[in-house]
Amino acid sequence: MSLEALHELVKVLGERIDTHRAELSQSESLTRYALIDPLLRAMGWNTEDPGLVRPEYATNPGSVDYALLKDNRPIMMVEAKKLGHSLQDQSVLRQVINYCTERGTPYFSVTDGQKWEIYETFIESAAVEERRIAQFDLRDDPVYACLQALELWRPKVSQRLLRAGQTPTPAQRQQQMASDREGNGSIQWQPLSRFSREPNTDPPSSIKFPDNSSCAIRYWYELVVHTVRWLWQAGRLNQNAHFRGFLTTSGSQNFNSPTPVRDTPFIYNRHGSADAQINRVRRLLNHARVSLDEVQIRL
């Protein structure tokens, strides 16, 4: 699969997560079918070929959801959870490490279909995070997700080219993205206070907040989602805040396209025009008393 095709798949899976989050969060089997299997296939692991992939693979301590095979032996084990399950569940991580140790399997991954973490098994350090090779979120920056997903690529795994080393935190990535973009003299950030959308224009590629953290944008509604998340994490948005028609912590049944805002208690109605999304960002910032001059976008 080409990088372009992988990028499109990541977008499709992200939209599938948004549309069917409620059902996926209730069913591990549906999560596997709708989210995990497609990405494994894209990475060269044909889930219909028992010479490459064995579901419910038995080990002495128990069975793992997937064993990815080379020469009929597992080279990576994948433990699947339903959408929204914490990947930091230490009992699950220890369980998969035991599976891999018993079979001599060098790599393992834990995923809820949206978030993926990939580890190297045989590292002397007992700290699990020091075994981590990669981690990514399909609802985060799609380019970054694609690059990290390549750690699942069958030729790379089969040749044991993966090496443990903790990946950057989301905050570190956002700061690096902001720094990289600032260094490009041909691309300028524009304060939201001066932004005026031209007809039929694409969404801005990024939004940057007063603390210099920045987030990549794919769709107009993500301007609002990232703003809500930043305001919440910065302590500028109260849990009781309610914006009629587009943001609430309850009563979202009247929303056309309800979307949980990750890491917050809010539900957002992403339905609306580009101009509506921009106006919502401005309303949120004004409510939180954040100057529109301090929030910038990159076209």
Side-chain angles (χ1 to χ4, degrees):
M1 173 174 281
S2 68
L3 280 174
E4 290 83 3
L6 178 58
H7 185 267
E8 286 303 309
L9 175 63
V10 167
K11 289 170 60 178
V12 167
L13 295 179
E15 292 167 359
R16 189 173 293 169
I17 289 168
D18 287 345
T19 303
H20 302 288
R21 184 176 294 275
E23 300 98 313
L24 292 165
S25 64
Q26 297 298 316
S27 172
E28 179 185 308
S29 60
L30 185 60
T31 297
R32 290 171 62 172
Y33 176 79
L35 302 178
I36 299 172
D37 288 5
L39 187 61
L40 289 176
R41 287 194 294 268
M43 291 295 96
W45 300 101
N46 184 353
T47 56
E48 299 175 357
D49 184 350
L52 292 177
V53 180
R54 298 275 179 88
E56 309 304 331
Y57 186 82
T59 71
N60 285 336
S63 62
V64 69
D65 293 306
Y66 301 85
L68 310 184
L69 306 181
K70 179 187 178 184
D71 299 329
N72 210 38
R73 293 179 58 85
I75 195 165
M76 177 181 282
M77 294 188 181
V78 180
E79 183 68 14
K81 298 298 178 184
K82 62 187 178 183
L83 182 66
H85 190 283
S86 173
L87 302 190
Q88 298 304 310
D89 186 331
Q90 294 298 308
S91 63
V92 172
L93 291 171
R94 287 193 297 270
Q95 185 180 53
V96 185
I97 290 171
N98 288 338
Y99 296 161
C100 291
T101 302
E102 193 268 336
R103 289 302 174 102
T105 304
Y107 305 115
F108 67 92
S109 177
V110 181
T111 179
D112 71 342
Q114 174 177 332
K115 298 178 182 179
W116 289 72
E117 295 192 355
I118 303 166
Y119 295 87
E120 187 172 359
T121 304
F122 299 105
I123 297 290
E124 291 185 4
S125 172
V128 174
E129 61 270 15
E130 293 183 16
R131 305 176 188 228
R132 189 182 297 125
I133 295 165
Q135 59 184 143
F136 59 94
D137 185 329
L138 297 181
R139 297 304 292 122
D140 201 346
D141 177 7
V143 174
Y144 180 84
C146 288
L147 293 175
Q148 292 296 300
L150 291 176
E151 299 299 330
L152 294 167
W153 189 40
R154 185 162 66 91
K156 192 171 185 180
V157 175
S158 297
Q159 295 177 41
R160 301 195 181 194
L161 298 178
L162 313 188
R163 292 292 179 269
Q166 190 170 2
T167 55
T169 65
Q172 290 170 331
R173 288 209 318 272
Q174 299 291 6
Q175 290 174 0
Q176 183 61 51
M177 288 164 61
S179 175
D180 291 345
R181 290 162 183 156
E182 289 287 3
N184 187 338
S186 64
I187 299 174
Q188 299 295 324
W189 291 95
Q190 183 181 91
L192 187 59
S193 59
R194 297 208 306 263
F195 175 67
S196 178
R197 189 183 75 87
E198 298 294 332
N200 302 317
T201 55
D202 291 331
S205 61
S206 308
I207 183 169
K208 183 165 68 173
F209 298 103
D211 61 357
N212 274 335
S213 63
S214 67
C215 300
I217 301 294
R218 293 172 295 175
Y219 310 107
W220 284 103
Y221 77 86
E222 290 183 336
L223 284 169
V224 186
V225 170
H226 289 309
T227 299
V228 170
R229 187 179 299 123
W230 182 82
L231 290 172
W232 173 257
Q233 293 174 346
R236 308 293 288 269
L237 196 60
N238 188 283
Q239 184 169 351
N240 296 323
H242 173 82
F243 294 80
R244 185 175 180 181
F246 74 89
L247 189 71
T248 187
T249 55
S250 62
S252 62
Q253 61 269 19
N254 294 324
F255 286 2
N256 295 328
S257 302
T259 301
V261 180
R262 183 165 48 87
D263 301 326
T264 82
F266 295 102
I267 299 173
Y268 175 61
N269 183 11
R270 68 177 186 270
H271 179 75
S273 67
D275 288 333
Q277 309 294 348
I278 296 166
N279 288 334
R280 290 171 181 178
V281 171
R282 289 175 171 149
R283 282 185 60 188
L284 286 161
L285 294 172
N286 287 330
H287 171 84
R289 298 183 179 180
V290 176
S291 171
L292 300 186
D293 291 328
E294 294 184 287
V295 176
Q296 303 179 60
I297 59 174
R298 174 192 172 207
L299 301 177

